[in-house]
Amino acid sequence: MLPFKLVYHPGYDLNLGEHVFPARKYRLVHDHLLDEGFAGPMDFVQPDAVSDEDVLRVHESGWVQRLKTGTLTPQEILRLEIPYSKQMVEAFWLATGGTILAARQALGDRIGFNLGGGFHHAFPGHGEGFCAIHDVAVAIRALQQERKIERALVVDCDVHHGNGTAAIFAGDRSVLTLSMHQFNNYPSEKPPSVIDIHLRDGVGDEEYLDRLRAALKVAMSFAPSMIFYLAGADPYQEDQLGGLSLTMRGLKQRDQIVFETGVGLGVPVAVTLAGGYARNTEDTVSIHCNTVKAAREALVQEL
Ligand SMILES: [Zn+2]
């Protein structure tokens, strides 16, 4: 039995058909962890879909309404870069419920793990870059509302800049946004995070890990009540939408650094998967599974 729960729902699949975003990866990660015996059925918990009330703490009612009623404009669908379907909308509501559940689980277990989410390109009034609803922002607002957390630190290690996160929390002193990304990549416009680490093309393990350690040191002086970790698999050297050169081993070390920082300082960590577009989807699945393994190692070492 794992020392933390894996939050997962079969409805996470965004129903995209043939698309660069392998939306079936959620199920593949779930199945892989079961098949190799790393996790058992008892390790998984299923979230409910997030309530509209929770979503509306971050998103504009018009955007929510148009998503739910299938009345997005063609421009809005283009910007989202994924085909519209009812199943897609339901998947975002489920994944967001999953990130809230993972954050609540993290309070007791020190780590809570959503095998989904990390939709950091969603803005209050529009979606883009495969992201319709900002699950992490909704979860932060929900836990603040419940007075379970005060200050949140977002550690965004997806290869793309967390533009939605930066825009949503701009000027909010209760949330420290840290984005570590390839500078020369989507999104072209990058509203400033509190800490932005703009990486050159082709940066590899050593420089990446050094800069992550240094940034976390600064960020932890903020004394967050919880870390929201976006463990994107797309800094990987074989990623189709990324231009960094991390190895699978380097990515696991990245995860270890984040988990050891949180666990070592007694700050719970809520994890979401975010992006991952490796030429071979099996690689993306392995990278995400390694994040689950790094989480377990961090807790077992502490015992
Ligand atoms: Zn990404």
Side-chain angles (χ1 to χ4, degrees):
M1 189 100 160
L2 290 172
F4 56 90
K5 290 295 176 201
L6 297 167
V7 180
Y8 171 75
H9 195 291
Y12 281 3
D13 192 321
L14 292 159
N15 183 39
L16 304 183
E18 277 302 310
H19 193 281
V20 68
F21 183 178
R24 66 190 185 287
K25 75 176 183 179
Y26 307 115
R27 179 176 49 78
L28 295 176
V29 170
H30 165 269
D31 292 355
H32 189 87
L33 290 168
L34 279 176
D35 291 347
E36 65 177 3
F38 187 81
M42 301 294 285
D43 292 314
F44 293 90
V45 287
Q46 260 195 24
D48 293 322
V50 64
S51 69
D52 291 353
E53 186 190 350
D54 280 336
V55 172
L56 289 167
R57 283 201 194 91
V58 170
H59 291 280
E60 293 168 11
S61 56
W63 174 243
V64 171
Q65 196 61 24
R66 292 195 296 286
L67 270 172
K68 294 190 73 153
T69 53
T71 50
L72 300 183
T73 66
Q75 289 81 357
E76 283 178 318
I77 295 175
L78 267 180
R79 203 168 183 190
L80 207 44
E81 294 187 77
I82 49 177
Y84 182 89
S85 69
K86 206 160 170 42
Q87 193 182 326
M88 176 273 275
V89 175
E90 283 165 3
F92 279 109
W93 256 254
L94 280 171
T96 304
T99 300
I100 295 175
L101 180 55
R104 288 194 186 124
Q105 291 286 340
L107 291 166
D109 295 339
R110 298 185 288 171
I111 290 176
F113 207 120
N114 188 11
L115 292 181
F119 298 113
H120 59 164
H121 302 310
F123 285 71
H126 79 269
E128 59 177 73
F130 321 149
C131 303
I133 293 292
H134 200 307
D135 57 301
V136 173
V138 172
I140 289 172
R141 288 296 183 232
L143 268 78
Q144 285 180 328
Q145 171 76 16
E146 295 164 11
R147 303 203 180 284
K148 301 255 174 59
I149 63 170
E150 281 181 39
R151 287 182 304 282
L153 166 63
V154 180
V155 176
D156 186 343
C157 288
D158 189 275
V159 80
H160 303 102
H161 178 257
N163 55 346
T165 324
I168 289 165
F169 294 114
D172 182 337
R173 296 169 67 95
S174 73
V175 181
L176 195 158
T177 51
L178 188 175
S179 178
M180 189 161 173
H181 49 266
Q182 181 191 8
F183 181 70
N184 186 23
N185 200 331
Y186 171 89
S188 53
E189 209 174 296
K190 298 176 177 63
S193 315
V194 177
I195 303 175
D196 271 316
I197 304 174
H198 300 306
L199 298 169
R200 287 174 295 108
D201 298 358
V203 161
D205 293 348
E206 200 180 331
E207 179 180 346
Y208 188 98
L209 299 174
D210 282 348
R211 295 192 70 175
L212 175 62
R213 281 190 200 94
L216 280 177
K217 209 172 230 178
V218 174
M220 292 309 285
S221 66
F222 175 66
S225 344
M226 185 172 285
I227 297 171
F228 287 81
Y229 177 37
L230 283 79
D234 47 13
Y236 180 48
Q237 57 191 1
E238 296 294 325
D239 198 89
Q240 300 173 88
L241 301 184
L244 298 182
S245 300
L246 271 74
T247 64
M248 236 181 251
R249 186 161 170 267
L251 284 161
K252 188 169 180 197
Q253 286 175 301
R254 170 198 74 168
D255 299 334
Q256 285 165 333
I257 289 168
V258 176
F259 290 128
E260 282 166 12
T261 300
V263 171
L265 295 172
V267 180
V269 184
V271 193
T272 56
L273 295 187
Y277 318 92
R279 264 169 267 284
N280 180 354
T281 300
E282 274 306 301
D283 286 353
T284 297
V285 171
S286 297
I287 293 164
H288 288 320
C289 290
N290 281 343
T291 305
V292 179
K293 291 171 188 176
R296 182 182 177 277
E297 284 162 20
L299 289 180
V300 170
Q301 271 170 21
E302 274 292 303
L303 294 175

